[in-house]
Structure formats: C-alpha cells, structure tokens
Amino acid sequence: MTTASYPTTPRCVTRIVTGQPVSDGAGVKLNRIIGQRALDTLDPFLMLDEFRSDQAGDYLAGFPNHPHRGFETVTYMLAGRMRHGDNQGNSGLLSPGSVQWMTAGRGIVHSEMPEQEDGMMWGFQLWVNLPARDKMTAPRYQDIAPDKIPQVNPATGVAVRVIAGEFEGVSGPVAGVATEPVYLDVSLDADASVDLTLPAGHSAFAYVYDGSTLIGVDADAQRVTRGQLAVLGSGDHVRVAAGGAASRLIVVAGKPLREPVAKYGPFVMNTPEQIAEAIRDFQSGAF
C-alpha cells in the first residue's frame, strides 16, 4: 500500500531583496530583482525583471532585435500588449494574462515591441538557465493564452493561477522544461492565507507585486512588501497571508542545475570558450 505524502516542512524567508531600477532594450525602464548586485542568481534563475508603467515614454521603444543562446525567457503579462517576432519567421502577441516560455537553445534573434502607444504596460520577464546538455537544442516557444492557464481557489479569498508545475492536483500548461519549474500567480483578499506546496529540492522565491504579504509560519513569518523578493529556504511548502488589505505575488521554484555559469549579456553558457563561440556564431549570422 502506498502512503500519501503531505507537506510537513515549511519554508521560511532567508533573505529579502529589493529590486533596483534599470533600463534595458532601447531604454525601457525596469525593476530588476534577480540579476543585480544584491542577488546575482538563484540557480536555476538568472534574472527577474518587472516592467510596470503607464507612461509611454518608459516602454514605447521596446526591445528591438537582440540575440539569445543557452537559456529560456519567460514573459508573463499582467496588463498591456507586446508583439514578439524573430528571425525564423515566428510572430505572436502577448496580451494581459498570457505567458510566453521561449527556449532560446542554440540561438535566436528576436524582438519584443509594445503594441500600444498609451496605457499601462505591466508584467515580468524571468530568465531560466538550461542544463549543459540542452544549451544547443533547437529553439522553441510555448505561447499560452490567458484562458489556457487554470485557476485554483483553494481557500476563501485565495486565487492561484497555475502557469507551470502542479498545485492542488492541477497542472499548468507549460511542459517539457528541464528545471521542472513551478510558477504560481497568487491573489489574496484581505486576511486570506494559503499553504503552497513546492518540490522540496527546488530553489524558490516569492515576489510581491501588489500590497504586502506575510510569508512563513508563526514567529518565522516575515512581512514582504511590493517590489521585494523573498528567497525561500528548504522545505516542501510555504505559507503566504495577506494582512488587512489584498495582496498579489508570484511564487516560483525550479530544480537547481549546480553547473558552471558563464554569462555575457544575452548569452549564458558553461565556459568562457562557449561564450566566445556564441559571439562568433552571432556575428557570422549562424543564429
């Protein structure tokens, strides 16, 4: 007889990191949370940016053609519209609530341009490392419409969109990713709380993008406010709770690769020699 496994070890907050303002692309203003001095990486996560502005000058220039090799980019839109295109003829529109999980693999040149001239543009881009065996795989996309992302309501006042991984027996639409990610978008009404199961061996973080959230259990719980990321310690679940006002956050986990990382702008490989090869391939038009 098989005994059911239940979460027993709560994760606590080990660090709180505040995002830093940066600009990228053709001058788009961003809040960089992972990939800055205070938190360079969180294996397998290489970068996390939040873009949020209702000022067209902050985002209108977008991200013109640029290359990637050796990792995955994950774009999650909360508001606004972004048009994607690449040098292989692929094109798509990211609308509010949609996700694009792009595996750059051996190389791609693409652009991400706003398809609006005013209004709110809000969302996230996460960079996820690829294991050495997959860095030169063929590029691919998982473009996921808002209505393809399931929502679970595990408790009163709690809504969880399951983008990747599994929660409460519901699987997200993202599939076939080497780091076995969990990506949850959690909405909490005032005074609501929920325990979120996470794979015990995964690195994990929670980023609060609206309001403030109490993360952890009892005396170990810490208040994390908008624009802050909580690095989560080991365990198999995390408790998140709103105070007297509603809050929203993303909770993300991934299997650490524990491999050497060589980074140079849009290229992420395992050795400096592989970075030099990526630059040569890009310059020679091999992407």
Side-chain angles (χ1 to χ4, degrees), residues 32-41 45-48 263:
R32 180 151 296 165
I33 309 103
I34 300 175
Q36 49 139 322
R37 184 176 300 177
L39 184 60
D40 182 47
T41 58
F45 306 114
L46 303 163
M47 191 186 79
L48 175 66
K263 295 189 293 184

Side-chain angles (χ1 to χ4, degrees), residues 6-153:
Y6 297 96
T8 57
T9 307
R11 291 180 182 248
C12 62
V13 176
T14 62
R15 291 178 63 190
I16 294 177
V17 177
T18 300
Q20 299 296 312
V22 300
S23 65
D24 209 336
V28 177
K29 293 184 179 180
L30 306 166
N31 186 37
R32 180 151 296 165
I33 309 103
I34 300 175
Q36 49 139 322
R37 184 176 300 177
L39 184 60
D40 182 47
T41 58
L42 183 63
D43 187 15
F45 306 114
L46 303 163
M47 191 186 79
L48 175 66
D49 285 343
E50 179 185 16
F51 48 93
R52 177 183 180 181
S53 179
D54 59 4
Q55 301 299 311
D58 290 346
Y59 61 75
L60 203 55
F63 302 89
N65 280 341
H66 57 282
H68 289 303
R69 173 179 279 185
F71 63 100
E72 302 179 289
T73 68
V74 185
T75 306
Y76 178 32
M77 296 294 294
L78 298 176
R81 302 185 312 279
M82 189 86 74
R83 173 68 63 179
H84 160 82
D86 70 22
N87 62 339
Q88 299 183 17
N90 298 301
S91 178
L93 180 65
L94 286 165
S95 59
S98 65
V99 172
Q100 182 192 78
W101 199 293
M102 183 186 80
T103 303
R106 61 176 174 252
I108 201 160
V109 178
H110 77 152
S111 64
E112 298 154 298
M113 302 298 293
E115 198 163 88
Q116 62 189 70
E117 295 183 357
D118 54 34
M120 176 66 76
M121 180 75 73
W122 190 8
F124 306 98
Q125 186 165 102
L126 176 70
W127 288 13
V128 185
N129 203 4
L130 283 169
R133 68 177 185 272
D134 294 337
K135 284 190 175 294
M136 296 298 285
T137 192
R140 71 162 182 157
Y141 297 92
Q142 297 184 64
D143 288 311
I144 300 162
D147 60 359
K148 300 300 182 183
I149 300 174
Q151 179 172 299
V152 180
N153 300 94

